[in-house]
Amino acid sequence: MSPVNGGATRDRLRIAIQKSGRLSDPARSLLASCGLSWRESRDKLFCYGETLPVDLLLVRDDDIPGLLADGVCDYGIVGRNVLDEAAADRAQRGLPQVSKAVRGLGFGGCRLDIAIPESAEWTGPAQLQGSRIATSYPGLLQQWLDANGVEATIVNLSGSVEIAPRLGQADVICDLVSSGATLTANQLKPAVTLMTSEAVLAGPVTPLADVRGDLASLLLRRLDGVLRLRDSRLVMFQSRRDGVDALLKLLPDAEAPTLLQVDGSDKVALQVLCHGEMTWPRLEALKQAGAAGLMVLPVERMLA
Ligand code: PRT
Ligand code: ZN
């Protein structure tokens, strides 16, 4: 039972997302493509759900794990890095885990790397023995140091981690990296990856028992449909009937095809739902194997 609201149940689901930042637009549009819409409040911190009783709370991403733990929100969209750091902190304080990632969402991808000065050579974790490492992820870093038997001083910074070595605050850093441009601009280079991250839907370890549980199931079903569709394409082509097996071998990510006899010929028309990217080389390989009239169509909606 959630400790907030006096442990009372709520009849509306509440989802926390980042108010502004890298994850806010993709999180909103993902939820919108699940059929949710909201009435914006004047303070823009709370959005009342219109199509379904699912409200949004717009907050700083770092606050999301705490809001979930306190039962203020039921679900949240947050970087796995933030969720895992909060979990590491709870573990260190001997607290039970109350939230977990329930779905990877395929955006906000990055890595948590240890980066060292460009001029240094990376020889392995032992090199960090006795060093000072600046990071905003002390819990995850400490876990990695422990796992690698390294004793180092963690310099906990909430921002501008990458300039810490130049300011003499630390020897190396442990920070998020996506393109690597920030490291290069600060004469640093990636040495080792502690974790790869993406935005996740975080939710309760124990499923919600009241009406919010039903709402969550509905939302997850829609979300699965949306996520599945994101890379799905309907591929249509014709081929000789005896060439179909060879063609389908080139589509290992396809679902069972629909075959239609083309009148007055030995040809069949095929419709196949593929879940991988349909690149030009893949299409050219299909053509080479006898596919004619190839067409790749986006799929707008699917209900399994
Ligand atoms: O205000 P609020 O606290 O909500 O936002 P924030 O500034 O803490 O977060 P924000 O919007 O920067 O990031 C939100 C989430 O996006 C992170 O928790 C990650 O899960 C994800 N993400 C993906 C990133 C990056 N890529 C990223 N590159 N978060 C931060 N960075 C930073 C990194 O810290 C470094 O400073 O970008 C810089 C490196 O980028 P490159 O491309 O130069 O390597
Ligand atoms: Zn933040």
Side-chain angles (χ1 to χ4, degrees), residues 226-282:
V226 169
L227 294 175
R228 227 166 117 66
L229 276 191
R230 199 137 59 179
D231 291 325
S232 297
R233 296 286 180 270
L234 187 67
V235 182
M236 297 169 70
F237 54 88
Q238 291 193 1
S239 94
R240 284 167 46 129
R241 185 174 279 278
D242 59 9
V244 168
D245 285 350
L247 282 162
L248 292 179
K249 283 209 181 79
L250 296 173
L251 296 167
D253 50 1
E255 294 198 3
T258 305
L259 264 88
L260 302 164
Q261 180 68 44
V262 177
D263 281 347
S265 80
D266 65 342
K267 284 194 171 164
V268 285
L270 284 100
Q271 284 182 14
V272 202
L273 187 66
C274 292
H275 296 294
E277 221 187 325
M278 289 308 297
T279 57
W280 283 109
R282 285 191 80 184

Side-chain angles (χ1 to χ4, degrees), residues 5-6 15 24 26 31-32 34 61-63 66 68 73 121-122 125 135 160 168 170 183 218 228 244 250 253 284 286:
N5 301 336
I15 305 179
S24 47
L31 293 173
C34 293
D61 66 343
D62 319 71
D63 294 337
L68 292 172
C73 292
E121 200 188 322
W122 176 246
T135 190
S160 306
L183 291 187
L218 174 75
R228 227 166 117 66
V244 168
L250 296 173
D253 50 1
E284 283 151 9
L286 287 170

